Amino acid sequence: MILRAATLDDVPAVLAFWKIAAEDTNRGGDDTAAVQALITRDPAALQLAVIDGEIVGSLIAGFDGWRCHLYRFAVHPDRRRQGIGAQLLQAAEERFREFGGRRADAMVLADNTLAHHAWAAAGYAPQDDWRRWVKSL
Ligand SMILES: CC(C)(COP(=O)(O)OP(=O)(O)OC[C@H]1O[C@@H](n2cnc3c(N)ncnc32)[C@H](O)[C@@H]1OP(=O)(O)O)[C@@H](O)C(=O)NCCC(=O)NCCS
């Protein structure tokens, strides 16, 4: 397995991968333009785990200059519990440290217990005193 940054050529395969592997696949924001914009703005942010040319894992490690955010943490259903997720997180945290990042965070659905196991195993814990406030632009 290799970990590498996604390129613009990967975008269709990434979107197809998220449909089968990612949390909350009904969300509206996963489209070609959005992923292309991410890769163009920060070419190393979207990391892929790849085996024999196939995407088996993904993680967006976004640093906005202030905070370190993790998105689209996903491993192919046939490849789970093999340490791929943990390796993706480790690489993302190394990237954040290089930027001087001090704390990483992720948005995790409250009922996604599968994800809770993986985040907790990597040392993440929920903050109960915050809510996410959003506005569509
Ligand atoms: C969350 C996810 C990315 C984890 O990927 P993974 O490659 O299976 O994770 P790892 O194999 O690296 O697991 C690391 C540790 O997490 C914990 N863990 C992971 N899955 C677990 C499970 N189903 N039950 C209990 N513990 C689990 C274990 O401690 C595991 O270490 P171990 O296997 O040595 O016991 C994967 O389950 C997934 O794609 N889920 C669907 C998408 C999703 O919900 N993503 C999270 C969005 S917030």
Side-chain angles (χ1 to χ4, degrees), residues 5-6 22 25 28 35 44 50 53-54 58 61 66-67 72 85 92 105 107 115 117 124-125 130:
T25 48
V35 184
V50 178
E54 297 291 322
S58 74
W66 187 248
R67 294 194 193 280
R72 296 301 191 279
D105 64 42
M107 289 180 300
H117 288 302
Y124 293 74
W130 294 87

Side-chain angles (χ1 to χ4, degrees), residues 24-39:
D24 190 13
T25 48
N26 294 321
R27 73 178 96 208
D30 289 353
D31 61 40
T32 301
V35 184
Q36 286 177 338
L38 169 69
I39 294 170

Side-chain angles (χ1 to χ4, degrees), residues 58-121:
S58 74
L59 182 62
I60 297 172
F63 179 65
D64 59 18
W66 187 248
R67 294 194 193 280
C68 310
H69 302 293
L70 295 162
Y71 310 96
R72 296 301 191 279
F73 183 31
V75 169
H76 190 285
D78 296 341
R79 300 279 188 176
R80 290 180 187 160
R81 290 310 288 274
Q82 297 174 20
I84 295 172
Q87 285 187 60
L88 282 162
L89 283 176
Q90 200 173 18
E93 290 165 8
E94 279 167 24
R95 168 175 160 82
F96 290 148
R97 282 192 200 95
E98 284 168 14
F99 288 127
R102 297 172 184 174
R103 188 174 60 177
D105 64 42
M107 289 180 300
V108 186
L109 288 172
D111 62 358
N112 188 351
T113 48
L114 171 63
H116 297 174
H117 288 302
W119 288 113

